[in-house]
Amino acid sequence: MAGTFQQWWRTRRTGLRRRLAVFGTLVLAATTVLTGAQPATAAVTGAQPATAAVTGAQPATAAATPWLTVSDGFVSIRVPAADLESALGAVSSVVVEADFGPSFAIADLGLGRSGDAWTSVIGPLRPGLYQYRIRADGSKLLKDPTNPSTVTSDPTWSTFLVPGDSASLLADVPAGQGGTLGTVSYLSGSRQARSATVWTPPGYEARRSRPYPVLYLQQGGDGSRTDWLDLGRAKQILDNLAVQRRIEPMVVVLGDGDAPDFRQELRALARAVRREYNIADDPARRALAGASAGGTQVLHSALTHPGEFGYVGSFAGPLTDDHLRIDGRAVNAGTRLLRLYTGNMTDPGYNPSYRTLRKLDRSGVRHDFDGVNPDDGHTWNAWRENLADFLPRLFRPVRDHRPTAGHLPLVREFATPAPGTTPTPWLTQDANGDTFVTVETGSEFAGAGRVTLWGNWAPGGSWVDVPLTRTGDRWRGTVGPLKPWFYYYKFIVDLVSKKDTANPTRVTTEPTWSTFLAPGRAARPLTDVPAGRGGTLATLTYTSTVVAAERTAYVWTPPGYDPARAQPYPVLYLQHGGGQNYTDWVEMGRAKQILDNGFRDGKLVPMVVVMGNGNVPDFGKELLDNIVPAARSAYHISDDPARQALAGLSMGGFQSLDILKAHPGEFAYIGTFSAGVFNSTGFDVAAVNDGTKLLRIYTGNVTDFVYPLVLSTMATFDTLGIRYEFAGLTAGPHGWDAWQKNLIDFAPRLFQPDRD
């Protein structure tokens, strides 16, 4: 019978998704109208459409409909299966690889096959520039042919912009108001023909009497000079700052730094630029900056040959030579500004930056440190922010040497345990109280080709896979910052799910999952109460006449539960979702912790909570003939409908609505978490309204695939005249982050005197 149920639920879920596909199109259109946003692909100014570079495949033919659209911070992806198969052949696994992870880390967002396309939705994303590409079956890469933006150094990538106030410097200025890009060709120190890109400010005068100050801006490792345009948005940042008069008029030179002799290359480039542009040769009016490996080159050059550049900026480019001798007096005499930047604990430059700062202190070198960027790692998002901070400080007296607001001090190195240390994962908190989690596989995956870490760390608790790095015979990685909450994860080893066996937690219905709690005030409802202060969790065994088998339920009783008290306790029957069972509200939903904390805080009426097994083809019969009688026999609970509540998530929410329709008034309190109705017929409206004290409806945001159905359900109830409360949108998808928050909100509303 269990197999029969699973088949039944899969059929129902498939039908649900098909019907929701129609709703989704309508809701996306409605969202666009209400917000005034237009779904569009982001383009880089001056970029031309490029042919996708893929592994062993031909690019797909550009389609009229964009594969990726942005609306109000949410990104919708729809890749036609036919286009994908035309480019890559038959595929069974498709992800969008993008900087969707915490700290703008590159991560995989899984796409699901829905009809004739592979689809997903994620958001809301922080305003900023994002890069992405399609990855199929682990190794097949494809550029989005419907997006004309390009990344010259790796043509498989495209970019898009999520607009917002914090990303205003990344937007194009009105036509005719920005600076101009040009190209300089020259022979490098090794006599190779090379080119550089030059930005000149609005109103640039080639014959101005006083030459312009100049900034030489270097890219990171494994890139090209165009990365500062394609990924760094340097032109937009410069244009906006120039239009706003926040920077001195200057010339900016974007050069390639991948030369065997950086200083020799820089001298050759400077000579070529001076021949064609009106720029200063005075060190006090020359600046040098770079990101990542480019920042390391810049910093090393400034410290070993001081006085050549008056202004120096290193964006996550610390020293790599621990034995470098520094003449602090010479550096101070020849340098007006030396400013260093680093990302958070996920930045591989974090620990070297700490050592670099200590070395500068010991050498007596005056320097500014922008502090640790708590929200970004070794990413272009961080370096864009670094550039925007650095530029206004150039070629003028520097009055503000403080870190950017919100940045943190760097007081020690980030240390993780030795390989093989158990248990895992290892949690580290920063000064903001956010958590960075480090995981490590066992040595059994030493021969794997690609290992990622899947977890609910994308916006709202969505799921992305963060690539891990091979370290010896193991794979390791750090993810963060994570806000205080409950997290779950698994390893994906060459497309196969694997459990972290060094983590003792378990999830019965998802054997490859492991869990951990990121501590903090916001996670208090999900945190264990002190020993002896919580309720009691016990199992209840009952016979199911529906499936002719013994079944089990969890039952929570409140602290001080008294089976002999005069008045029976009110009772909440709390149901799980499809593919789950009675264990999930405890192992994943943290129901015990939520109820314990709610009771301890005085928010809950003392009640009994029964979490039964809803995996049956006839839930109404299972609940009313089996679960409820067994609970009443074992516990001192009420049979008064006014003191009975029923709630469920996803499938359990659909089942709760079925009970409301078939047995109105049997449960005075109904809660539905991410669920709705398809058929408006069959409701006895008067009986529902007369017998229901509270019908409260919850849904995730547009990333929850039942979101459009929930909106439709409320419209149906409005038409029928059924009274309900809408809890508003819960930030997040069809997942546990949202459902935990739903229970936290719903449970305190039950059996309160003001409802009587």
Side-chain angles (χ1 to χ4, degrees):
M1 293 298 291
T4 302
F5 164 76
Q6 294 297 340
Q7 185 178 31
W8 168 81
W9 173 244
R10 282 196 298 270
T11 301
R12 184 168 183 179
R13 183 170 55 186
T14 300
L16 169 64
R17 289 185 180 275
R18 287 172 181 163
R19 282 176 274 188
L20 289 179
V22 178
F23 283 112
T25 302
L26 298 175
V27 170
L28 180 59
T31 302
T32 301
V33 171
L34 291 172
T35 63
Q38 295 298 319
T41 52
V44 176
T45 301
Q48 296 298 317
T51 301
V54 298
T55 302
Q58 296 299 314
T61 302
T65 304
W67 288 3
L68 183 146
T69 57
V70 181
S71 178
D72 201 25
F74 289 89
V75 174
S76 299
I77 300 153
R78 187 179 188 280
V79 181
D83 290 355
L84 197 60
E85 292 173 9
S86 173
L88 303 178
V91 298
S92 59
S93 171
V94 182
V95 303
V96 168
E97 188 177 6
D99 39 6
F100 292 156
S103 298
F104 271 81
I106 295 295
D108 297 346
L109 173 68
L111 304 187
R113 181 67 182 263
S114 177
D116 62 353
W118 295 84
T119 67
S120 190
V121 181
I122 190 171
L125 299 181
R126 283 193 282 166
L129 186 76
Y130 292 81
Q131 61 185 96
Y132 73 101
R133 62 185 176 185
I134 308 300
R135 180 184 288 271
D137 293 342
S139 60
K140 301 175 182 177
L141 301 178
L142 177 66
K143 185 192 185 300
D144 178 355
T146 69
N147 185 338
S149 68
T150 59
V151 177
T152 305
S153 62
D154 187 340
T156 61
W157 294 99
S158 303
T159 62
F160 66 91
L161 182 67
V162 175
D165 291 343
S166 61
S168 60
L169 293 181
L170 308 184
D172 292 327
V173 300
Q177 294 189 21
T180 301
L181 292 179
T183 302
V184 169
S185 298
Y186 66 101
L187 285 178
S188 70
S190 57
R191 310 304 295 172
Q192 292 181 330
R194 308 194 75 162
S195 297
T197 300
V198 180
W199 178 88
T200 51
Y204 169 78
E205 300 176 41
R207 300 183 180 278
R208 193 175 82 162
S209 59
R210 189 183 188 201
Y212 288 86
V214 59
L215 164 65
Y216 295 89
L217 185 60
Q218 300 301 122
Q219 89 293 341
D222 301 324
S224 74
R225 73 180 193 279
T226 57
D227 284 349
W228 266 115
L229 300 175
D230 299 339
L231 298 171
R233 300 287 276 190
K235 183 182 189 308
Q236 286 79 6
I237 293 171
L238 287 161
D239 285 350
N240 279 287
L241 291 175
V243 168
Q244 298 169 23
R245 300 183 182 278
R246 292 169 56 188
I247 59 174
E248 293 294 315
M250 69 180 80
V251 172
V252 179
V253 181
L254 311 177
D256 286 320
D258 56 342
D261 188 328
F262 174 68
R263 293 189 64 252
Q264 185 183 54
E265 179 76 12
L266 195 57
R267 287 195 297 268
L269 173 59
R271 287 194 297 269
V273 176
R274 281 198 301 271
R275 284 195 296 268
E276 299 192 29
Y277 290 90
N278 185 15
I279 61 172
D281 195 27
D282 177 3
R285 291 171 61 76
R286 300 206 312 164
L288 182 63
S292 188
T296 297
Q297 291 175 325
V298 163
L299 186 57
H300 186 276
S301 178
L303 296 176
T304 55
H305 297 83
E308 294 184 357
F309 295 88
Y311 300 82
V312 178
S314 176
F315 310 158
L319 293 174
T320 56
D321 183 356
D322 293 335
H323 304 291
L324 184 69
R325 299 188 65 178
I326 302 173
D327 184 342
R329 291 185 178 181
V331 173
N332 292 340
T335 309
R336 298 189 176 188
L337 173 67
L338 171 60
R339 191 167 175 88
L340 281 71
Y341 302 78
T342 189
N344 57 33
M345 285 180 254
T346 66
D347 187 340
Y350 183 91
N351 286 349
S353 290
Y354 173 83
R355 295 191 291 270
T356 296
L357 292 169
R358 301 290 79 77
K359 188 174 186 68
L360 294 179
D361 289 339
R362 291 192 300 269
S363 302
V365 174
R366 290 193 305 268
H367 62 277
D368 291 357
F369 176 49
D370 190 50
V372 174
N373 184 333
D375 299 319
D376 289 290
H378 204 73
T379 68
W380 276 104
N381 189 69
W383 305 332
R384 290 188 290 264
E385 293 179 4
N386 298 162
L387 181 63
D389 173 84
F390 185 65
L391 286 169
R393 302 173 185 275
L394 301 181
F395 314 121
R396 59 177 59 170
V398 180
R399 297 183 175 86
D400 186 358
H401 297 271
R402 295 173 298 176
T404 296
H407 284 199
L408 306 176
L410 180 51
V411 296
R412 65 179 62 88
E413 293 191 38
F414 171 50
T416 55
T421 302
T422 59
T424 56
W426 309 306
L427 307 183
T428 306
Q429 287 189 290
D430 67 10
N432 283 339
D434 292 335
T435 293
F436 290 78
V437 57
T438 301
V439 299
E440 179 187 75
T441 70
S443 57
E444 65 270 25
F445 305 133
R450 188 170 191 260
V451 179
T452 59
L453 182 70
W454 175 94
N456 60 320
W457 23 65
S462 291
W463 311 273
V464 293
D465 302 27
V466 177
L468 301 184
T469 301
R470 190 192 302 273
T471 304
D473 61 354
R474 300 169 187 269
W475 296 77
R476 179 179 282 210
T478 298
V479 176
L482 304 180
K483 295 300 180 184
W485 204 250
F486 181 71
Y487 295 88
Y488 48 102
Y489 69 95
K490 63 181 176 180
F491 298 129
I492 307 292
V493 181
D494 292 334
L495 302 182
V496 179
S497 297
K498 298 290 184 180
K499 189 185 188 307
D500 180 0
T501 55
N503 183 332
T505 63
R506 65 188 295 268
V507 179
T508 302
T509 58
E510 295 287 353
T512 62
W513 291 9
S514 300
T515 66
F516 66 91
L517 184 76
R521 184 173 182 179
R524 184 179 178 275
L526 307 180
T527 304
D528 290 333
V529 300
R533 301 289 297 276
T536 300
L537 187 69
T539 56
L540 169 69
T541 301
Y542 61 95
T543 300
S544 169
T545 58
V546 178
V547 295
E550 292 293 301
R551 308 298 287 271
T552 303
Y554 269 130
V555 180
W556 178 87
T557 52
Y561 169 76
D562 180 6
R565 82 173 194 176
Q567 186 182 36
Y569 288 85
V571 58
L572 163 64
Y573 296 91
L574 185 61
Q575 292 305 124
H576 58 80
Q580 302 169 0
N581 68 26
Y582 74 96
T583 61
D584 280 274
W585 264 115
V586 171
E587 295 172 355
M588 290 298 300
R590 306 286 283 186
K592 184 183 188 308
Q593 289 79 5
I594 291 171
L595 296 166
D596 284 349
N597 281 288
F599 185 86
R600 185 185 180 199
D601 294 343
K603 297 178 180 179
L604 294 188
V605 170
M607 69 180 81
V608 172
V609 180
V610 179
M611 293 163 268
N613 191 332
N615 291 321
V616 290
D618 187 341
F619 176 71
K621 182 176 178 60
E622 180 77 348
L623 177 66
L624 299 177
D625 292 357
N626 299 321
I627 297 175
V628 169
R632 289 175 182 171
S633 175
Y635 293 91
H636 187 41
I637 57 177
S638 179
D639 60 1
D640 179 0
R643 293 172 64 77
Q644 293 190 140
L646 175 63
L649 68 90
S650 191
M651 181 189 76
F654 284 95
Q655 292 171 332
S656 298
L657 288 168
D658 288 344
I659 294 292
L660 178 68
K661 178 188 288 190
H663 303 276
E666 187 70 28
F667 299 87
Y669 299 83
I670 300 287
T672 63
F673 310 160
S674 300
V677 298
F678 290 110
N679 190 346
S680 62
T681 62
F683 282 99
D684 185 336
V685 175
V688 169
N689 288 338
D690 290 344
T692 307
K693 295 184 178 183
L694 173 66
L695 168 57
R696 191 162 173 86
I697 297 174
Y698 299 81
T699 183
N701 55 31
V702 296
T703 63
D704 185 340
F705 73 87
V706 302
Y707 164 79
L709 178 64
V710 175
L711 300 188
S712 172
T713 295
M714 291 189 291
T716 294
F717 286 173
D718 289 339
T719 300
L720 294 175
I722 292 177
R723 293 193 296 268
Y724 66 91
E725 292 180 2
F726 178 43
L729 297 182
T730 305
H734 202 75
W736 281 108
D737 289 65
W739 301 328
Q740 290 158 347
K741 294 168 186 172
N742 297 163
L743 181 60
I744 291 168
D745 176 83
F746 184 67
R749 300 176 184 276
L750 302 179
F751 316 120
Q752 297 289 350
D754 60 356
R755 293 282 183 182
D756 294 336

